[in-house]
Amino acid sequence: MAPPAQSQRSPSPSQPSGKSEVSDLKLQLRQLAGSRAPGVDDSKRELFKKVISYMTIGIDVSSLFGEMVMCSATSDIVLKKMCYLYVGNYAKVNPDLALLTINFLQRDCRDEDPMIRGLALRSLCSLRVANLVEYLVGPLGSGLKDSNSYVRMVAVMGVLKLYHISASTCIDADFPSILKHLMLHDSDTQVVANCLSALQEIWSAEASTSEEASREREALISKPVIYYLLNRIKEFSEWAQCLVLELVTKYVPSDSSEIFDIMNLLEDRLQHANGAVVLATIRVFLQLTLSMTDVHQQVYERIKAPLLTLVSSGSPEQSYAVLSHLHLLVMRAPYVFSSDYKHFYCQYNEPSYVKRLKLEMLTAVANESNTYEIVTELCEYAANVDIPIARESIRAVGKIALQQYDVNAIVDRLLQFLEMEKDYVTAEALVLVKDLLRKYPQWSHDCIAVVGNISSKNVQEPKAKAALIWMLGEYSQDMQDAPYVLESLVENWDEEHSAEVRLHLLTAVMKCFFKRPPETQSALGAALAAGIADFHQDVHDRALFYYRILRYNVSVAERVVNPPKQAVSVFADTQSSEIKDRIFDEFNSLSVLYQKPSYMFTDKEHRVPLEFADELGNLSIGEAANNVVPTQMVEENDKDLLLTTSEKEETKGSRNNGSAYTVPYDGSSTSVFASQAQIESAVSNPTLAGHSPQASFAIDDLLGLGIPATPAVPSPPQLKLNTKAALDPSTFQQKWRQLPVALSQEISVNPQGVAALTAPQALLRHMQSHSIHCIASGGQSPNFKFFFFAQKFEESSNYLVECVINTSSAKAQVKIKADDQNTSQDFSTLFESAFSKFGTS
Amino acid sequence: MPVAASAIYFLNLRGDVLINRLYRDDVGGNMVDAFRMHIMQTKELGTCPVRQIGGCSFFYMRISNVYVVIVVSSNANVACAFKFVVEAVSMFKSYFGGAFDEDAIRNNFVLIYELLDEIMDFGYPQNLSPEILKLYITQEGVRSPFSSKASDKPIPNATLQVTGAVGWRREGLVYKKNEVFLDIVESVNLLMSSKGSVLRCDVTGKILMKCFLSGMPDLKLGLNDKIGLEKESQMKSRPAKSGKTIELDDVTFHQCVNLTRFNSEKTVSFVPPDGEFELMKYRITEGVNLPFRVLPTIKELGRTRMEVNVKVKSVFGAKMFALGVVVKIPVPKQTAKTSFQVTSGRAKYNAAIDCLVWKIRKFPGQTEPTLSAEVELISTMAEKKSWTKPPIQMEFQVPMFTASGLRVRFLKVWEKSGYNTVEWVRYITKAGSYEIRS
């Protein structure tokens, strides 16, 4: 431990500077050290207190180490405790002096008072000095056998501390197996709980290097252990109950009657006063019933009341933690909570983090029956003093509108927002009206009438301005003065700082031009000229593209820029279902609050590239949409506008259910894109026109998605895989994108396998035992998706597998990609044989 | 793993460390700097109680003028961590005699270190039960800054262990007079629309118990809740007595309550811990009796004048009365002058919170005092847009009244020595978040 002195950069003026006081203390301590006068303990206490208070406020008192140790020869337990605290704090930076304390600590470990034994043992283990570990083994060994449970409890934790200082010493002394014995036989439940925590940590850490450890780790979630702990659960402290419950979630019951037994046993935990126990129980219930759809629904009904209670009791921070979980459940099963929507109404004084979650829940639970009430309530918040919340609630109204319930009333409300004359309300509402129009073109008449009244001067935010410009372009035939508004915007081109707005202005002027040519012509000329002169690359390119396509053929240009629109039916979700399922698997942890699976924020290498997992989930879409890529430049910008995620800036991805846009917004997209590709090549190199197939090949090459390589050459089937293969997800992702599909096949899953798939982890473990590792998985019954990888023995040649299993048809679609194409067939055979054994072994 | 906290810090509002306890070495010692830099000194403070900085997550809570910060490096169980902090703080409070603030911490730091050592080991929560902690804690809480001497009392013998079966109660307790105090405390939450319709309304209640009982008593509590009564009448095969029955939406119990017996027989039976504890919590949304109705009319007369009329009706029994009634009526920021007429209590304008604050110390049932005020505003050119009105808020306490209608029907104490006990039952309803939009 670093001395607190370093962390205290700016001690307040009232705090003593230290130096003289410390030397003063040193003197006094020295005087007292040898004294046996009556009352000396009291004076020592005062001095010790002073030392500790200096230590706390960050004055370095490590120079007193010798004196403190000298004074510690006392029978006074109060003094001892303070001394232990001091020693624990400074031993690490004074390893030599720490040796001085070993002696008296070891002696105290043999004291007749169990409390002193325990305290001394705890302090001994907390020294954290690597070269002193040899002195720990003896006291720990006897501590674990102590007749007093307090000492045993401390000793168990001591073993874990020892493991973190020196794993080998801990393993060599065979402490884990002693802990295992204690866990199953000790009468004191806190000892049992500590054994469980310690063993989980030790074996998880060892599992990567030792087969035995990974077997032991599996044994922790075996039936006898789980049942033993469950049967005693009521004796455990509330915290230990959480620990046990967490372990139970990893257990895979053999049949449904076992599941019901466990649930019946734990039913009353839902009434526990400690919210943490309740949440942990909820997690067990949800995990156990994942494969039993009906029961899973009943579980939702059962856990509803306890969850709502947890939300309304306790501090806002606690509510926040619970609400995050409730949010996750609401997203999964909105209908279950739709009648309880009033619980998600915001209170005026609630912190904004609570309000934000509640708004999202109101959005999620809205359906035919409650939309009116919910939207009415949300409209109240639009006038809220807290502007981010006001914005958020307007967006919520929009999202509900896009969910198709009672659109009529909502459109009216949104239009009222536009008339509220608050800048931010107008801005948010404009973006929403734009989205609504894309989904419900039939409302254009009403909306345009109101939008037409908004002066573009009052709209400053880029997103809102872009939305307004888009509407001006799209509905220029209905808006009387659209060409003139656009013209004045073009005149102020140089004052427009947002490239996004300029891009939209270009497109809007083009669209307007095709609808009302005489009135727009001059504006178009000015816009193209300004655009081509623009310093922003995208704006420049788009202007140039428009210019050339207009010169090439005006009617083609119209078909490209202004194709007949089809209403968007669904706005896609940004977060893949795999990620969501992963988060659900990690219920009752930080993952839920951060809305990302734990590997994204706990593993060092994943902390930054968060996009990876999203992309992994979207891979298949990416492939299908490859032919769209040539026009990506154009599409990208439209996409930007068309996203409903204007919240990007404010919530910075903290809440990711804004809709991204994967459906191309032009119904005729593919054909348009194709023609656009042709045209582009035609424009740049007329001789190539009519040879688009080649062009697309070239593009494919560019993307590394060339024609699959020649069929695999048979080679010796002895393919050995590396048991300890490692591949980090970003590499996996990169390779998956680069490599062609070497093999694609359908494997049938045996019935036992289907049954075992109720817990997808089981498959992961099974495949791992065949040296095929899982890197990402997800899905809901009946469809599961897994990404596996394997490495060739003693070679860094990788095999990547995408495996989509449908349990109802008992079939698995397997796609294999390989660094070494020649061996992919062998690997496939291996994979298939490993896979077919799943459930039978 | 449920918590595995790497470190816990207590900071004052300036960010000075009051207490720090590093449990594990997996986070650096400069974590507290990261917290100060990235959370305390930014606008982030208070926007979210959980933050990730670098590889660590920070959970923090503000309690009076102290921040309690937990640092973890793994995917920890957040709900558990917050619950732990809340429990720990309430335990500290009981040691310090009520307050948990900067001064209390500075005066008790040795005790806090001692407690932190016992309640958490290597980041895992250990025992927080005060009964058991008493065995290990040598320091006495410092109740006032003037008597900071450590206790001279003999240290209780740690070998006097509690038995595993009843972990929350020591054996061999003796009281001269055996007494039980039962407090039913309800807080009623209301959100009423400007049109006077109830948008949302619920009651969260708790039953607090103070036990001074000898030996190992068995207690049984009967309430007028629907499920309990039905079960009872079934078992005795006679119809339930008439009278109001309450439907509880959800109940949670202290760990001492035998939940198996509650589920089968629907009676609350338990062996209580010694001293004060929270026996149960419940939540009710149906059939709530609102103690007060508020009828506001706020008229904006031109741009510089407002007329505020508020009538508050007490709808509980005429013999009862409410205490500490406060009605906060928001007015615009640019309020210049106010004048009042009230039929009861006193009113004044509080510029710090932009509210007219109307206080009535004693408010009898079945009465309806009114407040009428005239508010003059400074005319400003900028503020042409209409003022967004926050809701009217109310605070109150009504003794001997439960908004849910819950009543204790009986409390039976049984102990093998067969002593007599005195039982005291009190009811009180407080305002939770009582909001009326105007």
Side-chain angles (χ1 to χ4, degrees):
Chain A
M1 186 189 325
Q6 289 166 357
S7 62
Q8 189 80 14
R9 284 210 188 116
S10 53
S12 69
S14 64
Q15 286 170 357
S17 60
K19 279 268 158 57
S20 63
E21 282 85 353
V22 173
S23 53
D24 210 32
L25 276 175
K26 195 169 185 154
L27 212 67
Q28 292 181 36
L29 279 170
R30 211 168 261 175
Q31 281 167 0
L32 286 176
S35 165
R36 298 207 177 274
V40 70
D41 277 353
D42 279 350
S43 359
K44 273 190 191 170
R45 275 186 193 179
E46 288 308 308
L47 276 179
F48 274 36
K49 254 190 177 174
K50 235 179 227 166
V51 172
I52 288 171
S53 81
Y54 284 177
M55 185 178 93
T56 304
I57 59 176
I59 296 171
D60 184 7
V61 284
S62 59
S63 58
L64 302 176
F65 207 97
E67 285 73 17
M68 288 293 282
V69 174
M70 269 197 273
C71 283
S72 60
T74 170
S75 57
D76 186 88
I77 194 159
V78 181
L79 275 178
K80 267 193 199 301
K81 275 197 167 187
M82 287 197 263
C83 190
Y84 293 153
L85 179 68
Y86 175 86
V87 168
N89 229 2
Y90 285 113
K92 204 179 173 187
V93 284
N94 291 315
D96 301 336
L97 288 168
L99 193 60
L100 296 175
T101 62
I102 291 284
N103 214 351
F104 85 84
L105 283 174
Q106 276 189 327
R107 197 177 55 235
D108 283 351
C109 284
R110 293 188 297 269
D111 199 279
E112 58 183 26
D113 185 343
M115 183 158 66
I116 292 185
R117 290 204 299 272
L119 285 173
L121 190 57
R122 183 187 292 149
S123 307
L124 197 60
C125 298
S126 304
L127 293 179
R128 290 179 272 193
V129 179
N131 52 8
L132 298 181
V133 286
E134 52 190 301
Y135 300 103
L136 297 186
V137 177
L140 271 180
S142 46
L144 289 172
K145 289 188 211 96
D146 202 286
S147 60
N148 188 283
S149 63
Y150 179 69
V151 184
R152 291 198 303 274
M153 182 178 108
V154 170
V156 173
M157 275 308 177
V159 170
L160 184 56
K161 289 174 194 165
L162 173 65
Y163 179 80
H164 280 271
I165 308 167
S166 166
S168 56
T169 317
C170 180
I171 305 289
D172 291 345
D174 205 22
F175 282 137
S177 58
I178 302 178
L179 293 195
K180 190 177 166 191
H181 182 263
L182 270 182
M183 180 179 80
L184 296 174
H185 298 98
D186 203 281
S187 59
D188 187 281
T189 48
Q190 193 58 47
V191 176
V192 175
N194 285 359
C195 285
L196 183 58
S197 329
L199 286 177
Q200 273 186 299
E201 256 192 58
I202 293 174
W203 278 330
S204 307
E206 287 291 302
S208 56
T209 52
S210 145
E211 294 235 343
E212 194 200 332
S214 73
R215 259 203 312 281
E216 291 286 7
R217 187 175 60 166
E218 294 304 307
L220 276 183
I221 48 172
S222 64
K223 193 167 173 173
V225 177
I226 294 284
Y227 275 47
Y228 167 76
L229 293 170
L230 276 179
N231 283 328
R232 292 184 70 182
I233 194 155
K234 282 167 200 169
E235 300 164 30
F236 284 92
S237 78
E238 38 202 344
W239 317 107
Q241 289 187 14
C242 294
L243 193 74
V244 172
L245 289 168
E246 203 143 311
L247 189 73
V248 174
T249 51
K250 296 189 191 132
Y251 173 63
V252 184
S254 57
D255 55 25
S256 57
S257 73
E258 211 182 333
I259 293 177
F260 288 120
D261 284 349
I262 295 177
M263 295 210 319
N264 284 331
L265 187 73
L266 294 178
E267 167 98 28
D268 59 12
R269 295 297 102 193
L270 289 174
Q271 262 146 359
H272 199 283
N274 188 322
V277 175
V278 177
L279 263 187
T281 313
I282 286 174
R283 180 175 181 199
V284 173
F285 277 36
L286 289 173
Q287 287 289 345
L288 285 179
T289 56
L290 261 184
S291 58
M292 311 156 85
T293 322
D294 293 354
V295 190
H296 199 62
Q297 292 316 312
Q298 287 169 20
V299 167
Y300 276 119
E301 292 294 338
R302 176 66 187 86
I303 63 180
K304 205 162 73 172
L307 272 171
L308 293 173
T309 306
L310 283 182
V311 170
S312 60
S313 58
S315 67
E317 290 86 357
Q318 286 172 284
S319 307
Y320 174 72
V322 178
L323 273 172
S324 303
H325 288 86
L326 196 57
H327 178 251
L328 179 73
L329 298 179
V330 165
M331 298 306 277
R332 285 176 78 90
Y335 44 90
V336 178
F337 296 90
S338 58
S339 56
D340 299 285
Y341 62 94
K342 284 188 178 176
H343 285 277
F344 308 134
Y345 282 5
C346 300
Q347 284 163 22
Y348 188 71
N349 290 333
E350 273 171 338
S352 59
Y353 52 84
V354 169
K355 283 185 183 161
R356 193 161 292 141
L357 279 177
K358 285 189 168 177
L359 287 179
E360 288 189 24
M361 286 194 256
L362 283 175
T363 319
V365 299
N367 64 11
E368 291 89 343
S369 57
N370 58 21
T371 294
Y372 183 79
E373 282 82 7
I374 289 179
V375 172
T376 310
E377 184 67 16
L378 286 172
C379 290
E380 288 280 342
Y381 308 148
N384 200 298
V385 268
D386 186 353
I387 292 177
I389 291 298
R391 283 173 179 270
E392 205 81 42
S393 51
I394 297 170
R395 278 178 219 145
V397 173
K399 279 183 206 156
I400 294 175
L402 293 176
Q403 286 167 9
Q404 262 175 332
Y405 304 113
D406 201 6
V407 187
N408 198 346
I410 297 175
V411 172
D412 282 353
R413 293 271 177 51
L414 277 178
L415 296 180
Q416 277 170 20
F417 285 150
L418 286 177
E419 287 160 354
M420 265 172 72
E421 291 193 5
K422 286 194 184 214
D423 296 345
Y424 61 89
V425 176
T426 313
E428 290 295 336
L430 272 177
V431 176
L432 287 178
V433 169
K434 180 258 302 169
D435 283 336
L436 274 180
L437 285 178
R438 289 178 47 223
K439 184 154 180 178
Y440 311 109
Q442 66 270 31
W443 291 101
S444 65
H445 195 71
D446 304 61
C447 295
I448 291 312
V450 181
V451 172
N453 289 333
I454 295 172
S455 161
S456 61
K457 289 187 187 65
N458 292 344
V459 182
Q460 290 308 326
E461 286 173 44
K463 291 267 174 218
K465 207 164 186 176
L468 181 63
I469 292 172
W470 182 83
M471 284 187 274
L472 284 168
E474 197 62 44
Y475 297 96
S476 42
Q477 74 279 23
D478 304 326
M479 278 196 258
Q480 195 69 72
D481 46 3
Y484 309 104
V485 177
L486 287 172
E487 190 167 2
S488 72
L489 284 166
V490 172
E491 273 166 24
N492 295 323
W493 184 276
D494 292 333
E495 284 147 44
E496 187 49 66
H497 298 295
S498 159
E500 186 192 355
V501 174
R502 296 201 299 275
L503 280 171
H504 280 291
L505 193 51
L506 271 177
T507 311
V509 175
M510 279 288 275
K511 285 179 185 165
C512 189
F513 172 71
F514 292 121
K515 285 165 188 159
R516 299 162 71 172
E519 289 158 290
T520 326
Q521 201 175 4
S522 67
L524 180 63
L528 287 178
I532 290 168
D534 202 283
F535 64 91
H536 194 276
Q537 195 61 51
D538 289 348
V539 180
H540 170 79
D541 286 357
R542 190 182 287 194
L544 204 60
F545 170 61
Y546 283 160
Y547 174 67
R548 288 183 176 158
I549 201 170
L550 280 169
R551 274 191 32 184
Y552 173 73
N553 184 336
V554 176
S555 65
V556 171
E558 180 165 14
R559 260 183 22 236
V560 171
V561 178
N562 222 3
K565 295 282 184 295
Q566 214 173 54
V568 176
S569 54
V570 184
F571 286 82
D573 226 327
T574 43
Q575 212 167 26
S576 73
S577 61
E578 269 150 87
I579 295 289
K580 286 182 185 161
D581 288 337
R582 268 291 273 260
I583 296 172
F584 183 72
D585 285 340
E586 294 173 342
F587 194 83
N588 202 13
S589 74
L590 271 174
S591 313
V592 178
L593 276 85
Y594 290 152
Q595 298 199 344
K596 32 179 140 147
S598 62
Y599 71 83
M600 290 195 192
F601 58 90
T602 51
D603 300 358
K604 285 197 179 60
E605 62 268 34
H606 297 132
R607 248 170 240 153
V608 188
L610 296 176
E611 311 83 68
F612 153 67
D614 280 348
E615 280 190 38
L616 195 58
N618 290 333
L619 276 177
S620 49
I621 301 164
E623 279 168 343
N626 268 333
N627 56 339
V628 185
V629 174
T631 52
Q632 203 170 25
M633 183 267 291
V634 178
E635 173 66 337
E636 200 81 283
N637 295 296
D638 273 12
K639 226 182 196 175
D640 252 9
L641 166 65
L642 301 168
L643 289 177
T644 53
T645 46
S646 39
E647 60 260 63
K648 266 198 247 166
E649 301 140 316
E650 282 132 45
T651 46
K652 275 280 181 318
S654 63
R655 299 276 147 199
N656 263 338
N657 46 359
S659 6
Y661 199 62
T662 53
V663 181
Y665 80 104
D666 290 329
S668 51
S669 59
T670 7
S671 63
V672 172
F673 289 131
S675 58
Q676 220 162 358
Q678 284 170 21
I679 293 155
E680 212 168 11
S681 47
V683 171
S684 55
N685 187 353
T687 52
L688 262 180
H691 296 277
S692 56
Q694 236 173 42
S696 73
F697 267 130
I699 286 147
D700 275 354
D701 278 349
L702 210 68
L703 295 162
L705 279 161
I707 318 135
T710 43
V713 182
S715 63
Q718 278 81 26
L719 178 68
K720 274 187 96 178
L721 294 176
N722 183 359
T723 48
K724 285 166 193 147
L727 189 66
D728 70 47
S730 54
T731 322
F732 181 92
Q733 176 204 14
Q734 205 186 346
K735 283 189 184 296
W736 185 261
R737 251 193 295 183
Q738 284 168 352
L739 294 171
V741 176
L743 268 169
S744 173
Q745 59 180 355
E746 192 175 83
I747 309 178
S748 51
V749 188
N750 59 33
Q752 295 97 318
V754 172
L757 254 179
T758 51
Q761 287 88 348
L763 177 63
L764 307 191
R765 284 196 290 272
H766 170 81
M767 296 309 282
Q768 194 158 8
S769 65
H770 291 84
S771 305
I772 298 168
H773 307 267
C774 179
I775 194 150
S777 68
Q780 266 283 276
S781 184
N783 286 306
F784 294 92
K785 192 170 181 180
F786 299 89
F787 285 97
F788 293 102
F789 71 93
Q791 255 164 24
K792 218 171 170 181
F793 188 62
E794 287 176 348
E795 261 185 75
S796 64
S797 171
N798 294 302
Y799 300 95
L800 314 179
V801 187
E802 181 202 51
C803 176
V804 180
I805 303 173
N806 185 313
T807 46
S808 57
S809 66
K811 287 276 189 299
Q813 302 288 342
V814 180
K815 272 192 208 146
I816 297 174
K817 300 188 179 186
D819 278 343
D820 180 1
Q821 301 284 346
N822 300 329
T823 52
S824 52
Q825 186 60 50
D826 297 338
F827 174 75
S828 152
T829 328
L830 209 112
F831 182 87
E832 200 178 346
S833 80
F835 190 79
S836 61
K837 284 182 205 144
F838 175 59
T840 52
S841 53
Chain B
M1 57 192 91
V3 175
S6 300
I8 186 163
Y9 293 102
F10 293 59
L11 306 175
N12 68 10
L13 296 185
R14 249 200 345 234
D16 298 337
V17 181
L18 303 175
I19 299 273
N20 68 339
R21 187 77 181 83
L22 296 176
Y23 286 109
R24 298 168 80 100
D25 283 337
D26 54 358
V27 298
N30 55 354
M31 275 302 130
V32 70
D33 289 333
F35 180 76
R36 270 196 291 248
M37 282 245 308
H38 297 288
I39 299 176
M40 284 195 90
Q41 290 164 4
T42 63
K43 275 188 271 174
E44 296 275 334
L45 189 65
T47 54
C48 184
V50 181
R51 265 294 306 276
Q52 189 191 2
I53 302 171
C56 301
S57 293
F58 290 77
F59 309 159
Y60 65 97
M61 278 179 111
R62 183 177 162 174
I63 295 140
S64 76
N65 55 2
V66 177
Y67 282 104
V68 181
V69 186
I70 283 192
V71 188
V72 299
S73 62
S74 55
N75 185 20
N77 179 340
V78 193
C80 192
F82 278 130
K83 180 72 184 169
F84 178 81
V85 173
V86 169
E87 292 284 301
V89 167
S90 77
M91 186 195 64
F92 290 145
K93 278 183 182 165
S94 72
Y95 270 95
F96 310 157
F100 180 85
D101 53 22
E102 192 178 341
D103 286 339
I105 291 171
R106 285 197 193 277
N107 289 327
N108 289 290
F109 65 90
V110 181
L111 169 67
I112 296 180
Y113 276 125
E114 244 189 86
L115 286 169
L116 285 178
D117 256 353
E118 297 296 338
I119 61 176
M120 200 171 242
D121 201 355
F122 209 51
Y124 290 103
Q126 303 288 306
N127 219 321
L128 257 85
S129 149
E131 271 308 299
I132 295 178
L133 280 174
K134 268 181 204 160
L135 304 173
Y136 302 117
I137 299 303
T138 57
Q139 300 275 332
E140 234 184 27
V142 178
R143 274 148 206 272
S144 80
F146 305 106
S147 63
S148 57
K149 226 177 162 201
S151 97
D152 289 327
K153 264 205 263 169
I155 299 130
N157 188 359
T159 42
L160 188 118
Q161 262 289 14
V162 284
T163 51
V166 188
W168 52 87
R169 191 178 177 90
R170 260 184 303 166
E171 282 188 63
L173 290 165
V174 182
Y175 286 97
K176 224 179 253 171
K177 193 172 172 193
N178 291 293
E179 282 182 300
V180 185
F181 297 87
L182 209 55
D183 277 330
I184 288 98
V185 182
E186 295 196 337
S187 71
V188 46
N189 300 308
L190 169 75
L191 179 60
M192 194 174 260
S193 78
S194 48
K195 295 184 186 86
S197 59
V198 175
L199 293 175
R200 188 196 151 183
C201 166
D202 60 75
V203 171
T204 52
K206 50 189 172 186
I207 301 188
L208 302 173
M209 212 166 195
K210 232 187 261 181
C211 279
F212 304 107
L213 297 171
S214 316
M216 278 285 177
D218 242 317
L219 273 70
K220 214 181 229 189
L221 175 71
L223 301 166
N224 62 338
D225 68 299
K226 203 169 177 182
I227 322 167
L229 285 178
E230 269 168 15
K231 193 82 191 179
E232 203 168 289
S233 57
Q234 264 174 33
M235 299 209 326
K236 291 178 186 157
S237 67
R238 79 172 111 103
K241 266 182 254 161
S242 60
K244 203 176 170 214
T245 59
I246 306 297
E247 203 166 342
L248 301 174
D249 282 18
D250 188 42
V251 211
T252 58
F253 295 106
H254 185 268
Q255 54 166 338
C256 69
V257 175
N258 185 334
L259 293 171
T260 332
R261 233 152 105 189
F262 176 76
N263 284 330
S264 59
E265 300 164 29
K266 299 291 167 202
T267 55
V268 184
S269 54
F270 53 100
V271 178
D274 191 37
E276 212 175 326
F277 69 102
E278 189 179 281
L279 176 67
M280 62 183 266
K281 272 195 293 215
Y282 55 90
R283 188 167 54 82
I284 290 168
T285 44
E286 296 297 319
V288 176
N289 310 314
L290 292 173
F292 290 100
R293 293 238 159 219
V294 181
L295 309 163
T297 42
I298 299 180
K299 276 190 227 150
E300 292 181 43
L301 308 168
R303 281 177 48 190
T304 57
R305 245 160 46 84
M306 262 174 59
E307 210 177 76
V308 179
N309 282 297
V310 179
K311 186 193 277 180
V312 180
K313 254 183 175 169
S314 53
V315 280
F316 44 86
K319 282 179 191 161
M320 291 192 272
F321 51 84
L323 297 172
V325 178
V326 180
V327 187
K328 289 182 191 159
I329 306 144
V331 289
K333 261 201 165 25
Q334 64 271 30
T335 298
K337 212 174 124 195
T338 51
S339 59
F340 304 96
Q341 274 188 321
V342 286
T343 58
S344 170
R346 280 197 304 181
K348 66 178 178 198
Y349 166 58
N350 185 337
I353 53 169
D354 294 317
C355 279
L356 305 178
V357 181
W358 179 20
K359 290 184 181 167
I360 303 165
R361 202 173 298 159
K362 196 166 170 181
F363 196 134
Q366 304 298 334
T367 56
E368 37 178 275
T370 56
L371 168 143
S372 47
E374 265 192 36
V375 180
E376 279 179 42
L377 308 174
I378 306 166
S379 69
T380 49
M381 297 307 288
E383 204 57 38
K384 59 165 186 185
K385 289 148 197 169
S386 71
W387 166 58
T388 53
K389 292 177 230 165
I392 294 177
Q393 294 182 305
M394 234 187 130
E395 292 164 23
F396 54 78
Q397 296 188 358
V398 192
M400 302 320 287
F401 173 82
T402 50
S404 63
L406 192 82
R407 282 280 180 270
V408 172
R409 288 173 44 248
F410 58 82
L411 176 64
K412 290 177 190 156
V413 180
W414 184 89
E415 216 273 336
K416 54 181 182 291
S417 62
Y419 53 72
N420 284 325
T421 50
V422 189
E423 295 111 27
W424 306 87
V425 181
R426 282 194 302 186
Y427 301 91
I428 192 162
T429 294
K430 293 180 184 171
S433 130
Y434 211 79
E435 298 179 351
I436 298 100
R437 289 181 182 154
S438 54

